[in-house]
Amino acid sequence: MRILLAEDDENLNRTLTERLRTKGFDVDSCFDGDEALYYASQNIHDVILLDRMLPCMEGTEVLEQLRKANIAVPIIFITALGSLNDKVTGLNLGADDYLVKPFEFDELLARIQCVTRRSPMLSMSKDLCLMDISFCPENDMLTGPERSCSLSKKESALLEIFLRNPNQTIPRTTLLLKVWGPESDVESGNLDNYIHFLRRRLKTVGSSLTLKTVRGVGYCIQDCT
């Protein structure tokens, strides 16, 4: 799961980024509203943690512009503004939750779990199933008709995207952004390598599924029987 953290307090940003990564999240962090809007507009994140009082552009304006652009990713405001009016304003603008600083890290995790549970495309812990395979994101374990095998973090991130979007062609650019992040200089050939690895994993567990190449576009998971 990829998270965007927009927080201008450098210490808090660094601390949250490190702790979220230890929990297995991929985290992109930024420090002002302009950057937050740029990253969020890529629509590659599963959750956005958004400070209200950001330099360059306030979090409320970032939120408004994202919702106007029909970007429906769950957004949690993290802010020192904790009055009832502040909370009502944030939620009415389209935030999915509102967390007042200072907060405990475990509460933040619970809020993330809550908003992703409500999202029809996301779940933090539930196994993902498609035809003859199941995949557990918590331990990166793929199970098929013949056996189970563990996946690397990159393999897991790719497979999760395909399983959450069955029968859809996922563009190469989307896969690169969601798995490696917007600031990565990874070469496109690396994606092809990991697609090859995943095809071997599916074959290893005895699945009839494979990743079809859609030339000039990307890849799609489908039954190869």
Side-chain angles (χ1 to χ4, degrees), residues 24-175:
F25 297 104
D26 292 315
V27 183
D28 299 310
S29 62
C30 58
F31 299 90
D32 64 55
D34 286 344
E35 283 188 321
L37 182 61
Y38 169 76
Y39 286 123
S41 296
Q42 308 302 311
N43 202 17
I44 60 170
H45 298 92
D46 301 304
V47 180
I48 297 175
L49 306 178
L50 181 63
D51 188 8
R52 277 194 62 164
M53 296 184 291
L54 290 170
C56 302
M57 181 186 300
E58 290 191 358
T60 50
E61 185 176 349
V62 174
L63 174 60
E64 285 186 288
Q65 293 203 31
L66 292 175
R67 294 312 189 220
K68 286 179 181 177
N70 295 318
I71 294 176
V73 57
I75 295 176
I76 301 174
F77 266 134
I78 51 173
T79 175
L81 301 176
S83 72
L84 177 60
N85 183 64
D86 291 326
K87 295 177 182 178
V88 170
T89 298
L91 294 171
N92 284 341
L93 286 173
D96 296 86
D97 205 346
Y98 199 102
L99 187 57
V100 179
K101 302 173 185 176
F103 51 81
E104 295 294 332
F105 183 68
D106 286 344
E107 182 179 5
L108 175 62
L109 291 179
R111 300 294 185 100
I112 292 172
Q113 185 172 17
C114 184
V115 297
T116 55
R117 188 187 303 121
R118 293 199 300 260
S119 174
M121 295 302 296
L122 298 171
S123 171
M124 286 182 62
S125 59
K126 188 176 181 180
D127 288 1
L128 300 172
C129 300
L130 181 64
M131 296 194 60
D132 58 1
I133 65 170
S134 64
F135 173 65
C136 179
E138 288 188 337
N139 58 16
D140 304 317
M141 186 65 64
L142 173 64
T143 301
E146 297 180 4
R147 60 182 62 87
S148 297
C149 70
S150 60
L151 306 184
S152 70
K153 289 298 182 183
K154 288 291 188 293
E155 291 171 337
S156 295
L158 277 173
L159 182 61
E160 187 169 348
I161 295 170
F162 288 114
L163 294 182
R164 293 192 188 280
N165 300 275
N167 303 314
Q168 296 183 39
T169 299
I170 313 297
R172 294 177 62 88
T173 53
T174 298
L175 294 170

Side-chain angles (χ1 to χ4, degrees), residues 198-216:
L198 270 185
R199 286 171 174 157
R200 292 178 58 185
R201 300 292 192 188
L202 290 168
K203 186 175 181 180
T204 294
V205 301
S207 176
S208 64
L209 291 168
T210 191
L211 296 173
K212 176 187 176 182
T213 300
V214 182
R215 295 193 180 279

Side-chain angles (χ1 to χ4, degrees), residues 176 180-181 183-191:
L176 286 166
W180 281 272
E183 293 187 335
S184 174
D185 57 357
V186 63
E187 295 182 0
S188 181
N190 282 6
L191 172 60

